[in-house]
Amino acid sequence: MRFLSILLFFLATLALRSVAMAEPPKCAEVEHLGGRYTVCTFDPAEDTIRLYGARTLGSSGASYDQLNTHLLRNGEHMSFAMNGGMYHSDYGPVGLLVENGRKTGALNRDNAFGNFFMKPNGVFWLADGKAGVMETEAFAKAGLSPREATQSGPMLVVDGKIHPRFLPDATSLQIRNGVGILPDGRVAFAISKDHVRFHDFATLFRDRLNCRNALFLDGSISSLYAPEIRRHDRRAVMGTIIAVVKKLPW
């Protein structure tokens, strides 16, 4: 049995490498205001973007290796993944989480301390081949029923404007990651390679990527799985993972 598992893993790896070589690149390195970023873009009409909570994977804290094992059992694999939102000490979501149409976390409109509650915060959602980033109150009023959704905060860009609490000379520097919607409807995921301030990260989305709306996902646990650029943050432990999922090529 162990030999069979190893053989299947080896064959899957060879197949995935062949597919990766045939596909156009999804990730690019971007420099902005002295900071370096990795930006990966996907089309929600063509790419399957899903959300997975730690509890769905049956563990206290999700990892990319756990998710890949979960997917391989179902004849799937992930071609990209990123941490997808903030979580409590038990790795449950702080706010809204929808996985494959199933709500596993409720919309959180409370006022409290921390980045999540730096209003306005917002929701990244997917439904019917489309994706969006909306401020939380606007999302609540829209009455959407997304297939996938995650709530986080703060919003980086709201209707073309930088979050009002971000300062261009702020001294808080962190590795940060977030998500925005490009003018053509594609989803842009970005993670900094350097420690950056909120303001600079927000202007990356607004001024370089032309996103009218963008959402901060996290800072201290920002991580990336992108085999295209040979990056696999194995040590990352998360509450929620955003993944681009594909069928195995056999």
Side-chain angles (χ1 to χ4, degrees):
M1 181 63 72
R2 179 175 173 77
F3 173 77
L4 179 59
S5 298
I6 294 174
L7 178 61
L8 287 173
F9 180 80
F10 176 73
L11 292 174
T13 301
L14 289 178
L16 298 183
R17 284 179 179 175
S18 299
V19 172
M21 292 175 64
E23 292 182 344
K26 297 287 189 178
C27 298
E29 301 300 313
V30 176
E31 291 191 11
H32 176 67
L33 298 180
R36 300 172 301 156
Y37 301 85
T38 299
V39 179
C40 302
T41 59
F42 300 92
D43 186 345
E46 298 180 0
D47 299 304
T48 301
I49 306 172
R50 294 183 193 158
L51 284 154
Y52 293 89
R55 294 169 180 170
T56 295
L57 298 178
S59 63
S60 58
S63 70
Y64 298 130
D65 286 340
Q66 287 173 330
L67 179 53
N68 244 339
T69 299
H70 173 81
L71 293 171
L72 287 171
R73 289 170 180 161
N74 296 297
E76 299 174 319
H77 72 99
M78 60 184 184
S79 61
F80 166 89
M82 176 177 278
N83 58 293
M86 300 176 188
Y87 53 84
H88 294 295
S89 58
D90 65 353
Y91 293 97
V94 175
L96 178 69
L97 181 59
V98 181
E99 306 172 60
N100 194 27
R102 181 172 61 97
K103 185 184 292 186
T104 55
L107 194 71
N108 189 335
R109 301 161 80 175
D110 293 345
N111 295 308
F113 176 78
N115 287 333
F116 181 95
F117 300 99
M118 192 188 296
K119 304 291 184 67
N121 53 19
V123 176
F124 167 58
W125 59 268
L126 298 127
D128 302 322
K130 297 180 180 179
V133 170
M134 298 177 69
E135 184 270 330
T136 294
E137 295 303 322
F139 178 85
K141 293 177 182 177
L144 299 175
S145 297
R147 174 179 53 81
E148 313 281 344
T150 182
Q151 183 184 11
S152 190
M155 288 285 288
L156 297 168
V157 185
V158 185
D159 296 330
K161 296 181 180 180
I162 300 297
H163 192 290
R165 292 181 60 182
F166 295 169
L167 302 176
D169 58 352
T171 58
S172 176
L173 303 174
Q174 299 287 342
I175 299 295
R176 305 184 191 276
N177 72 297
V179 58
I181 307 301
L182 298 173
D184 62 5
R186 286 180 298 149
V187 181
F189 297 99
I191 183 169
S192 67
K193 300 180 76 172
D194 306 301
H195 289 73
V196 298
R197 55 179 60 89
F198 266 131
H199 185 274
D200 295 355
F201 192 42
T203 61
L204 168 78
F205 280 98
R206 186 189 67 177
D207 302 338
R208 287 296 300 274
L209 303 179
N210 297 314
C211 296
R212 285 189 54 79
N213 292 281
L215 179 66
F216 178 65
L217 292 173
D218 214 329
S220 59
I221 65 153
S222 294
S223 62
L224 180 65
Y225 174 87
E228 173 190 317
I229 56 174
R230 297 185 178 182
R231 180 159 173 183
H232 183 172
D233 296 342
R234 293 183 182 277
R235 295 184 179 181
V237 180
M238 300 152 278
T240 300
I241 298 176
I242 302 172
V244 176
V245 177
K246 297 179 179 294
K247 290 287 187 182
L248 286 171
W250 59 46

